[in-house]
Amino acid sequence: MKTINLVAPGGLDALEVRESPDPGQPGPGQIRVAIHATSLNYHDLLVANGSIPTEDGRLLMSDGAGVVEAVGEGVAEFEVGDHVVSGFFPQWQDGQAFDGVGNFRGTPGDGIDGFAAEYSVQAATSFTRAPAGWSHAEAATITTAGLTAWRALITEGSLKAGQSVLLLGTGGVSIAALQIAKAMGAKVFITSSSDEKLERARALGADSTINYRRYPDWANQVLALTQGRGVDHVVEVGGPGTLSQSIQAVCVGGHVALIGVLTGREGQVPTGLLMAKQARLQGLVVGNRRQQQEYVAALEQNELRPVIYQSFRFEQLADAFRLQESGSHFGKIVAEW
């Protein structure tokens, strides 16, 4: 089968399309899946470009969607022909985070081989059903970006109708969060450096948009638009370069979900302001299988579909990463085969 493997120490020119051994038939508790799509996430990019070191020859990509081709002994949840999507933490089935998900050693495309392959044989519990009627490319957006947005707003944030949400940028997590928030009846504020992207966000239902190049102190704009109160929830994807403004923009008693480090991994936190706001600052990384199943059910009920910016062929994965690096995309970038 064809695979895309990373040659250590990494770099987008170090992605190799190879002919690799077929994984064969599933054993007890396993399923064999013909993988047809993946979606790109910032974490995948960091592995691919060498920022996160991994084993030489690693199969890339955390997200994988496809069709069940064979079912091993003891598997009752899936049948041949079912459309499925992978989980980011296959070892995390339910409940609270634990030591085993404190790193990426069990995450496909990082600590273990991922889904840049034509076929995969894994434990059945490493997958969930895909939403009915979705393409494989659409389903592949669930694993990382979609579930992160769902957990930030719904599982951990307990978002309620009438509340307000601030989203930073228009990448995959933020656009998924925009769709979830609007489906829940929330008011959405979103930032971008592009007026064109902000216009697209408004077409998806964003209530207020802020160009952060025009307004570098964008937290003040959020406060002005909320009559000084601030927002109930912030989905914080930037990290240290944006966190202080996110805390400034959140309301007293609000929730800041720290889910990204686009501006770096360390920085100062305005602890006095955080205390005065009595806000909850929570770091989170994707979610568990049960949460993914709940997210899939909500997507079907609300008839939501992800926003896909551009699709690439399997062999074009490096080009897809280069587009991601440029930051010009709106929503998700995918590869299909």
Side-chain angles (χ1 to χ4, degrees), residues 43 88-89 91-92 96-107 110 151 283-285:
H43 178 253
F88 188 86
F89 288 118
Q91 72 275 41
W92 187 13
Q96 297 297 313
F98 61 101
D99 287 349
V101 295
N103 52 55
F104 299 115
R105 290 175 191 158
T107 295
D110 188 340
R151 184 179 169 210
L284 61 87
V285 179

Short mmCIF file of all heavy atoms in Angstrom, two decimals, residues 43 88-89 91-92 96-107 110 151 283-285:
data_model
loop_
_atom_site.label_atom_id
_atom_site.label_comp_id
_atom_site.label_asym_id
_atom_site.label_seq_id
_atom_site.Cartn_x
_atom_site.Cartn_y
_atom_site.Cartn_z
N HIS A 43 -0.82 20.56 15.00
CA HIS A 43 0.01 19.51 15.60
C HIS A 43 0.68 18.66 14.52
O HIS A 43 1.86 18.31 14.61
CB HIS A 43 -0.84 18.64 16.53
CG HIS A 43 -0.09 17.52 17.15
ND1 HIS A 43 -0.26 16.21 16.77
CD2 HIS A 43 0.86 17.50 18.12
CE1 HIS A 43 0.54 15.44 17.49
NE2 HIS A 43 1.23 16.19 18.31
N PHE A 88 -8.18 10.85 18.36
CA PHE A 88 -6.87 11.45 18.60
C PHE A 88 -6.13 10.74 19.72
O PHE A 88 -4.91 10.56 19.67
CB PHE A 88 -7.05 12.93 18.96
CG PHE A 88 -5.77 13.72 19.04
CD1 PHE A 88 -5.22 14.29 17.90
CD2 PHE A 88 -5.12 13.90 20.25
CE1 PHE A 88 -4.04 15.03 17.97
CE2 PHE A 88 -3.94 14.64 20.34
CZ PHE A 88 -3.41 15.20 19.19
N PHE A 89 -6.86 10.35 20.78
CA PHE A 89 -6.29 9.59 21.89
C PHE A 89 -6.99 8.23 21.94
O PHE A 89 -7.95 8.04 22.69
CB PHE A 89 -6.51 10.32 23.23
CG PHE A 89 -5.68 11.55 23.43
CD1 PHE A 89 -6.29 12.79 23.59
CD2 PHE A 89 -4.29 11.50 23.49
CE1 PHE A 89 -5.55 13.94 23.81
CE2 PHE A 89 -3.53 12.64 23.70
CZ PHE A 89 -4.16 13.87 23.87
N GLN A 91 -6.34 5.65 23.38
CA GLN A 91 -6.29 5.04 24.72
C GLN A 91 -7.24 5.71 25.70
O GLN A 91 -7.38 5.25 26.84
CB GLN A 91 -4.85 5.10 25.26
CG GLN A 91 -4.35 6.47 25.68
CD GLN A 91 -3.77 7.31 24.55
OE1 GLN A 91 -4.30 7.33 23.45
NE2 GLN A 91 -2.68 8.01 24.83
N TRP A 92 -7.90 6.78 25.28
CA TRP A 92 -8.78 7.55 26.18
C TRP A 92 -10.23 7.35 25.73
O TRP A 92 -10.72 8.04 24.86
CB TRP A 92 -8.39 9.02 26.16
CG TRP A 92 -9.10 9.88 27.15
CD1 TRP A 92 -9.85 9.48 28.22
CD2 TRP A 92 -9.10 11.31 27.19
NE1 TRP A 92 -10.33 10.56 28.91
CE2 TRP A 92 -9.87 11.71 28.30
CE3 TRP A 92 -8.51 12.30 26.38
CZ2 TRP A 92 -10.08 13.05 28.62
CZ3 TRP A 92 -8.72 13.62 26.71
CH2 TRP A 92 -9.49 14.00 27.82
N GLN A 96 -12.29 11.53 32.79
CA GLN A 96 -11.36 12.65 32.86
C GLN A 96 -10.00 12.29 32.27
O GLN A 96 -9.65 11.11 32.15
CB GLN A 96 -11.19 13.07 34.32
CG GLN A 96 -12.46 13.59 34.98
CD GLN A 96 -12.98 14.85 34.31
OE1 GLN A 96 -12.23 15.80 34.05
NE2 GLN A 96 -14.27 14.88 34.01
N ALA A 97 -9.25 13.33 31.93
CA ALA A 97 -7.89 13.12 31.44
C ALA A 97 -7.05 12.43 32.52
O ALA A 97 -7.28 12.61 33.72
CB ALA A 97 -7.26 14.45 31.05
N PHE A 98 -6.09 11.63 32.10
CA PHE A 98 -5.24 10.87 33.02
C PHE A 98 -3.82 10.88 32.50
O PHE A 98 -3.53 11.44 31.43
CB PHE A 98 -5.78 9.45 33.18
CG PHE A 98 -5.82 8.65 31.90
CD1 PHE A 98 -4.83 7.72 31.61
CD2 PHE A 98 -6.84 8.85 30.97
CE1 PHE A 98 -4.86 6.99 30.43
CE2 PHE A 98 -6.88 8.12 29.79
CZ PHE A 98 -5.89 7.19 29.52
N ASP A 99 -2.92 10.27 33.25
CA ASP A 99 -1.49 10.33 32.92
C ASP A 99 -1.21 9.88 31.49
O ASP A 99 -0.32 10.41 30.82
CB ASP A 99 -0.68 9.47 33.89
CG ASP A 99 -0.58 10.08 35.27
OD1 ASP A 99 -0.96 11.26 35.42
OD2 ASP A 99 -0.14 9.38 36.21
N GLY A 100 -1.97 8.91 30.99
CA GLY A 100 -1.71 8.36 29.67
C GLY A 100 -1.97 9.32 28.53
O GLY A 100 -1.57 9.05 27.39
N VAL A 101 -2.65 10.45 28.79
CA VAL A 101 -2.88 11.44 27.74
C VAL A 101 -2.19 12.76 28.07
O VAL A 101 -2.53 13.81 27.53
CB VAL A 101 -4.40 11.66 27.48
CG1 VAL A 101 -5.03 10.40 26.95
CG2 VAL A 101 -5.12 12.13 28.75
N GLY A 102 -1.19 12.68 28.96
CA GLY A 102 -0.42 13.87 29.29
C GLY A 102 0.68 14.16 28.29
O GLY A 102 1.44 15.12 28.44
N ASN A 103 0.78 13.34 27.26
CA ASN A 103 1.75 13.54 26.18
C ASN A 103 1.14 12.93 24.92
O ASN A 103 -0.01 12.52 24.91
CB ASN A 103 3.09 12.88 26.53
CG ASN A 103 2.91 11.42 26.93
OD1 ASN A 103 2.34 10.63 26.19
ND2 ASN A 103 3.40 11.06 28.11
N PHE A 104 1.92 12.88 23.85
CA PHE A 104 1.41 12.39 22.57
C PHE A 104 1.97 11.02 22.20
O PHE A 104 1.98 10.65 21.03
CB PHE A 104 1.73 13.40 21.47
CG PHE A 104 1.10 14.76 21.69
CD1 PHE A 104 1.90 15.87 21.91
CD2 PHE A 104 -0.27 14.91 21.70
CE1 PHE A 104 1.33 17.11 22.13
CE2 PHE A 104 -0.85 16.15 21.92
CZ PHE A 104 -0.06 17.26 22.14
N ARG A 105 2.41 10.26 23.19
CA ARG A 105 3.04 8.97 22.90
C ARG A 105 2.06 7.97 22.29
O ARG A 105 2.46 7.05 21.59
CB ARG A 105 3.64 8.38 24.18
CG ARG A 105 4.86 9.15 24.66
CD ARG A 105 5.36 8.62 25.99
NE ARG A 105 6.36 9.52 26.57
CZ ARG A 105 6.64 9.56 27.85
NH1 ARG A 105 6.02 8.76 28.70
NH2 ARG A 105 7.54 10.41 28.31
N GLY A 106 0.78 8.14 22.55
CA GLY A 106 -0.22 7.24 21.99
C GLY A 106 -1.04 7.86 20.89
O GLY A 106 -2.06 7.29 20.47
N THR A 107 -0.62 9.04 20.42
CA THR A 107 -1.38 9.76 19.39
C THR A 107 -0.91 9.39 17.99
O THR A 107 0.28 9.48 17.69
CB THR A 107 -1.24 11.29 19.61
OG1 THR A 107 -1.84 11.64 20.85
CG2 THR A 107 -1.91 12.06 18.49
N ASP A 110 2.19 10.84 15.62
CA ASP A 110 3.20 11.43 16.49
C ASP A 110 3.92 10.32 17.24
O ASP A 110 4.95 9.84 16.80
CB ASP A 110 2.56 12.42 17.45
CG ASP A 110 3.56 13.22 18.26
OD1 ASP A 110 4.72 12.78 18.38
OD2 ASP A 110 3.19 14.28 18.80
N ARG A 151 -15.40 20.12 22.78
CA ARG A 151 -15.06 19.98 24.20
C ARG A 151 -14.90 21.34 24.87
O ARG A 151 -15.34 21.54 26.01
CB ARG A 151 -13.79 19.15 24.36
CG ARG A 151 -13.44 18.87 25.82
CD ARG A 151 -12.20 18.03 25.96
NE ARG A 151 -11.77 18.02 27.34
CZ ARG A 151 -10.51 17.89 27.74
NH1 ARG A 151 -9.54 17.72 26.84
NH2 ARG A 151 -10.19 17.90 29.01
N GLY A 283 -6.52 24.56 30.26
CA GLY A 283 -5.84 23.96 29.13
C GLY A 283 -6.51 22.66 28.77
O GLY A 283 -6.91 21.89 29.65
N LEU A 284 -6.66 22.40 27.49
CA LEU A 284 -7.23 21.12 27.07
C LEU A 284 -6.67 20.71 25.72
O LEU A 284 -6.32 21.55 24.89
CB LEU A 284 -8.76 21.15 27.06
CG LEU A 284 -9.50 22.14 26.15
CD1 LEU A 284 -9.71 21.56 24.75
CD2 LEU A 284 -10.85 22.49 26.75
N VAL A 285 -6.58 19.42 25.51
CA VAL A 285 -6.09 18.85 24.25
C VAL A 285 -7.13 17.86 23.75
O VAL A 285 -7.36 16.81 24.36
CB VAL A 285 -4.73 18.15 24.43
CG1 VAL A 285 -4.26 17.56 23.10
CG2 VAL A 285 -3.69 19.11 24.98
#
